[in-house]
Amino acid sequence: MEFWLELVELYEYKVQDLMEGRVPRGGRRGLALLRDELLRAPLEPPLQRRLMEADRAYRLHQGAPAQHPRPGHGGQSTWTAPPTADSDESRAWEELQLLQWHQRASVQTRELTLRWQREPEFAHLRVLYTVIENAERLARPGTQPLAVPPAHDALMDLHDPEVTGRLAAALSLLLLTEDGRARVRAALSAVHAEPFPRHPDEDVLAARITAAEREPLSFEAREALIRALRAEYPLPRDPRERPAIRAAARHVAQLLDPILDALPKPTLNGAPQGSILFAQHPGSAMRVPDDGAERLTVYLRGGGSTRWRGLNIEWQPIGPNWQVQVGPQLTLLRPGAPLPDRAQLLKLPDQQLRALISGAHMTLVVESQTALELGRRASTARATALLLNPAVDFAVLRLARAAAQVMRGGALQLDKLTPDSARKYGDATPDVLLSFARKGVETLLARLARLSTDEAAQAFRRAAQALGLHRVVADRLHAALHIALHDPETLPPGKPGTQLELTETGTFSSVVLQDEPLFIQVGARGVTVRWDYKGELVVMMPGLAPMVLHDLLVARLPVGNLLLVRHGSWLGAALTGDLPVVTLEAAELSTEDIRVTN
């Protein structure tokens, strides 16, 4: 607004008078009051930059020794200017807020990749891979952009959780800087505009096929003519894949928007009042640590120890670094490390903390142990649901048994893994079959912990080949178990409620159980979860016997698998569908045939 422009110009004139040895009109007190008002003003970016330049000159002049002492000076003023965005404290506060956002963004992007890894064709992951690669290429002028690879590209390994974990880490690293965010947006727009280059004969083939469909021929003759045309103009990619890729690109952009909207905004006024223990500036100093807060920020040079949430916290400088002890846990924080590496995880007996460092300022953030435990159970439930799929005579359950035999180092006993041996699974009651499948998952997890990722992948593929199953089935089972063991998903925070509606997206929803029953709408079916007179949590569904939910439950319904996990009063629920089980006969099919099959 116009009056803010005039006030900024007035401040510039007053600062110039002061620097040239003149008393500004209105006196020094008037200058200080004007400065204080402008630092709190909602200025537009150009005016804000002008204010910061003038204010930097003012603070440099205030910190310099007086060149022309004037008579009648009443002594040094006790007034302290509020910190601005240029102070060490304000810069550290903003950097710590950015680090906290980056930690949350890393978890959110990893959750997205885990969700997309459950898709048969990995459409979202292929888009994300291309966006990350092209965003990195944009930093190197002259490099050609990458096209979105086809489904089930043998060079992609998108079924591997380690690969998708690296994708999530690379994305969160790009989002950490303004330049990286701009390159991600540009790459995402480019993928949406052109997923992969058009073939020069693509329009010719489309026109001839359209003309052939109008010919007055029998169905068999028309199909033979179209096949002959396709043989004459072979195309490297199916053009019909473009709409699906563009839809996935739009969805990726929609899911990234909330993450980017949560990015902390810069502020002129620095740290909030009472936000830093042992703070440099009195206005932002915290009197005592708040035991009810989830985070604590400390100016390390202002003290040497404190007590927070029942933990003794001590620190000391070690050269340019800081050695910090939280309870029994000792760690070294390195302010000079790259920004993503300035976070350390502190595992304590009953909780986890994450320590973030910026200069001489440290923030400790409490990470919920309940959420971590519930995430492990959710990942275990997903793996268990795979084993309960009855397709091809419980092929995945038989594959799990075969893989366990391979990992034990013994010979495969194929006579005990035939389709006829799976009849007992179909005859078993749901609770007995669930117990058997979960025990199989836990056995495989124990064996996977002793093997490298490559050794485990080979074991699953060898077992799948022996049972006549395609390697896609083996890779999916291995990926689900790898996630449950090494990288369990994180569930959203639970909120109190008595109503929950699930759709077949596979995403977990969370709720905090109340004394009243919880009603879950699963398609057209209603599921009731309530406490019984014994204090047990009972799940009731029409047509099925009541089931007790201790910590994990997988119930097969006509609309999919209902996954329920619980930790105390926190309950997570999801609805997933069965993935197709491809036999070894599909190994002779082309990549596109497998894509259609899946």
Side-chain angles (χ1 to χ4, degrees), residues 3 97 272 280 368 411 494 576 587:
F3 67 87
Q97 300 306 304
Q280 294 171 279
S368 173
T576 66

Side-chain angles (χ1 to χ4, degrees), residues 226-248:
I226 292 176
R227 283 196 300 271
L229 288 172
R230 291 187 185 278
E232 183 180 357
Y233 296 93
L235 300 180
R237 297 286 293 273
D238 188 348
R240 293 171 297 180
E241 197 178 356
R242 286 196 182 93
I245 293 177
R246 289 192 174 105

Side-chain angles (χ1 to χ4, degrees), residues 256-303:
L256 288 182
D257 282 342
I259 299 176
L260 295 174
D261 290 342
L263 190 71
K265 305 297 187 294
T267 175
L268 269 178
N269 296 330
Q273 186 175 4
S275 58
I276 302 177
L277 188 64
F278 307 131
Q280 294 171 279
H281 192 273
S284 54
M286 178 187 298
R287 292 191 303 106
V288 293
D290 183 4
D291 286 338
E294 295 295 316
R295 57 181 55 86
L296 173 68
T297 301
V298 183
Y299 178 54
L300 299 174
R301 297 194 188 280

Side-chain angles (χ1 to χ4, degrees), residues 38 54 91 197 204 238 249 276 330 332 415 427 562:
L38 288 173
R91 284 193 295 269
V204 175
D238 188 348
I276 302 177
L330 190 68
L332 185 68
D415 56 325
D427 297 336
L562 174 62

Side-chain angles (χ1 to χ4, degrees), residues 560-573:
N561 298 299
L562 174 62
L563 312 182
L564 296 173
V565 292
R566 172 191 158 219
H567 189 284
S569 60
W570 188 351
L571 181 138

